Amino acid sequence: MSRPQDPHKPFLSFGNPFRMMMPKASCLPPKLLELLKDFEESIAKHLVKLKPAEKEDVLSMFWLRSAMESLCGIHTEIKVLITELELPVCDWDEKWIDVYLDSSVKLLDICIAFNSEISQLNQGHLFLQSALHTLGSASENQFVKARSSLDGWKQHVGCKNPRLDKCFSAMESLVLALDLPKIKNSSKGKVLMRAMYGVKAVTLFICSAFAAALSGSANKMIDIQARETLWAEAFTDLQTFVNTEIRNRYSNGALTVLEELEAVDASVKTLYPIVQDGVSPIQAEAIHELKSDLETSADQFSRGLDQLAKEVDRFFQVVLTGRDALLGNLRNSGNVSNHLQRSHSFESQAVR
């Protein structure tokens, strides 16, 4: 780690939303139109649910975990949509397959980078445990040892993780592949590509916010101008709300936008001068309370990291199983050699 809300707006229009938002979509067969409508409405519901009631709740670990849960849900739902479209992989355009394989390996890279940073923060938690253990002992040098542990904590959370820089690079390349490809002769292909556009846009937004929270900087955050879809209004509302709050906090000099990490940092800053200068009899009771505050915030921080890591792992598995299923279908269709070669080329660039 290197360092007045508007009321919710309805995300659905009355009448035929596709006719108003995207005239060509209304020319789709009714069954396909209904499938796309249901899928886009589901994305909008995920986004509306993610909007916090208060801006202070934007980047707690609970919100990040909820955002990852939503991503898992959306990526699972597009698998269901592909099945319902009855569009076998052998009928996919090669460009669709290449874009999917390239995008999925970059998402796996991003998950690895996130888990790397979460692991690094968990290692930093060991310094806090050491400081708390020392303060609870009767050691003659307990304050010297505690100060050393707190110094270790501060240095550790101030270290940059190079994998996060590569994570931003991966997201920038995904932005370039965000635009919808032109589909001429396949109604099912049009539905699939528009649905994938929604999945990619929401994934990029959430991963960008996640990376900004973990990296300690908003400099490389991504702002996506959503095309007209049923989820575009909810998306723009949430993206503006979250990205503005992240940028505001960092511009005000915040070390982090993570609520739980901020609480730990505040406890450490209050406790550090006392263990540095020594404790007078008058301060003995105060240090007991400060130690208790640090124990509480450190415990919440550690539990939040564990839960967040599990959700990132789950998203990794969702992406990986989808990718493996596509490659398996390509093998079964006898159309795998070129794609596998390109896939291995993409994977050789992955962060490991």
Side-chain angles (χ1 to χ4, degrees):
M1 183 80 196
S2 49
R3 287 194 352 122
Q5 181 187 345
D6 293 330
H8 289 313
K9 298 177 181 179
F11 56 84
L12 297 179
S13 305
F14 55 85
N16 185 337
F18 281 95
R19 199 173 295 278
M20 290 182 283
M21 290 183 167
M22 190 175 173
K24 290 182 181 179
S26 62
C27 298
L28 291 170
K31 180 183 177 182
L32 296 183
L33 190 63
E34 188 66 23
L35 287 174
L36 181 57
K37 176 175 174 289
D38 289 347
F39 181 76
E40 291 199 344
E41 284 180 353
S42 180
I43 290 181
K45 288 175 184 176
H46 280 291
L47 293 168
V48 169
K49 188 177 178 181
L50 275 179
K51 177 121 180 239
E54 303 292 338
K55 61 183 181 180
E56 289 78 13
D57 299 330
V58 166
L59 280 171
S60 64
M61 289 191 191
F62 174 80
W63 187 88
L64 288 179
R65 192 174 79 245
S66 298
M68 276 292 159
E69 286 174 355
S70 292
L71 273 191
C72 289
I74 291 170
H75 279 254
T76 300
E77 287 164 13
I78 197 167
K79 294 179 186 179
V80 175
L81 176 65
I82 291 171
T83 300
E84 292 175 337
L85 283 174
E86 298 176 348
L87 183 62
V89 171
C90 59
D91 291 342
W92 285 32
D93 187 286
E94 286 204 0
K95 290 182 180 178
W96 310 350
I97 298 172
D98 288 342
V99 167
Y100 180 86
L101 291 174
D102 187 25
S103 298
S104 62
V105 81
K106 285 183 170 65
L107 285 180
L108 296 177
D109 276 355
I110 289 168
C111 289
I112 291 168
F114 288 165
N115 264 337
S116 171
E117 181 63 21
I118 291 170
S119 176
Q120 184 166 312
L121 288 171
N122 257 324
Q123 292 169 16
H125 181 253
L126 297 176
F127 288 104
L128 299 177
Q129 289 180 309
S130 176
L132 290 167
H133 176 75
T134 302
L135 289 173
S137 71
S139 168
E140 182 178 326
N141 298 319
Q142 62 172 321
F143 297 120
V144 174
K145 293 178 180 178
R147 184 173 70 246
S148 176
S149 295
L150 294 179
D151 282 334
W153 156 260
K154 290 192 289 185
Q155 290 172 9
H156 191 82
V157 297
C159 291
K160 286 188 176 182
N161 186 339
R163 282 188 169 176
L164 284 178
D165 288 333
K166 293 182 180 179
C167 167
F168 281 112
S169 297
M171 284 189 283
E172 288 169 3
S173 66
L174 286 174
V175 171
L176 298 177
L178 187 58
D179 284 343
L180 289 164
K182 293 181 180 180
I183 310 295
K184 294 181 179 180
N185 301 316
S186 172
S187 295
K188 291 181 179 181
K190 290 177 182 178
V191 172
L192 177 62
M193 289 300 102
R194 177 159 160 163
M196 282 189 169
Y197 170 76
V199 174
K200 289 191 289 184
V202 175
T203 301
L204 274 170
F205 155 62
I206 289 176
C207 287
S208 172
F210 205 110
L214 293 179
S215 67
S217 171
N219 291 340
K220 295 183 179 179
M221 283 186 69
I222 295 169
D223 295 290
I224 297 168
Q225 184 69 41
R227 293 177 179 271
E228 288 190 348
T229 57
L230 292 181
W231 48 265
E233 184 177 351
F235 178 88
T236 301
D237 184 40
L238 179 63
Q239 179 180 245
T240 301
F241 184 86
V242 171
N243 287 5
T244 299
E245 183 59 21
I246 292 174
R247 289 187 172 108
N248 285 345
R249 291 193 195 182
Y250 280 134
S251 66
N252 290 331
L255 169 70
T256 178
V257 294
L258 284 176
E259 179 182 302
E260 293 82 355
L261 183 53
E262 196 172 43
V264 171
D265 186 57
S267 294
V268 169
K269 284 180 177 177
T270 305
L271 182 60
Y272 189 85
I274 296 177
V275 298
Q276 184 178 33
D277 299 333
V279 180
S280 67
I282 299 176
Q283 292 175 311
E285 184 61 30
I287 200 169
H288 176 75
E289 293 180 5
L290 293 174
K291 175 177 173 289
S292 177
D293 290 344
L294 181 57
E295 283 177 334
T296 300
S297 60
D299 180 63
Q300 291 175 344
F301 176 62
S302 179
R303 283 189 286 111
L305 286 175
D306 290 342
Q307 292 167 354
L308 199 54
K310 288 178 183 177
E311 211 54 50
V312 173
D313 282 338
R314 190 161 80 92
F315 180 54
F316 181 94
Q317 290 302 321
V318 168
V319 175
L320 184 62
T321 54
R323 177 184 174 80
D324 287 347
L326 176 62
L327 289 172
N329 287 331
L330 286 171
R331 289 188 187 95
N332 292 336
S333 69
N335 186 27
V336 70
S337 57
N338 291 337
H339 296 293
L340 272 179
Q341 186 175 358
R342 285 191 284 267
S343 174
H344 291 319
S345 174
F346 294 143
E347 287 171 352
S348 69
Q349 301 169 24
V351 178
R352 292 293 184 267

